[in-house]
Amino acid sequence: MSDRSQGAGRLLTGVAWVLLLLGLWLWGHGATDLNLSSPTTGDAAAVGRPSDVRLPPAHRPVEGADPRRVDIAALRVQAPVV
């Protein structure tokens, strides 16, 4: 067998493994479950929740816990909240 055909066989085997593992990962994460019966509203929090079920009211903010500034060290962002 030539080096070229061995390389092609290895490439084909590698691609087959990648596709198999990707398919198993998607299956394990439920990405293959297509629920087309419920309407899409764009509300990510409502996925899987019946449309007639209301969410509980939000909690009141803690007194004195207003944000003063935003610091994101990885992006070197330091800005006051106005």
Side-chain angles (χ1 to χ4, degrees):
M1 218 182 221
S2 70
D3 288 338
R4 183 176 247 175
S5 64
Q6 284 179 345
R10 287 183 182 154
L11 177 65
L12 183 60
T13 302
V15 170
W17 272 109
V18 168
L19 290 175
L20 175 67
L21 293 174
L22 178 63
L24 289 173
W25 183 81
L26 289 171
W27 181 48
H29 283 81
T32 56
D33 295 336
L34 298 176
N35 186 3
L36 302 176
S37 62
S38 63
T40 303
T41 62
D43 183 4
V47 173
R49 178 175 46 93
S51 60
D52 59 342
V53 175
R54 303 286 301 161
L55 292 175
H59 292 279
R60 293 183 47 84
V62 177
E63 291 290 325
D66 296 332
R68 305 269 188 243
R69 57 184 301 108
V70 174
D71 292 321
I72 306 173
L75 299 176
R76 297 184 183 155
V77 172
Q78 296 178 343
V81 174
V82 187

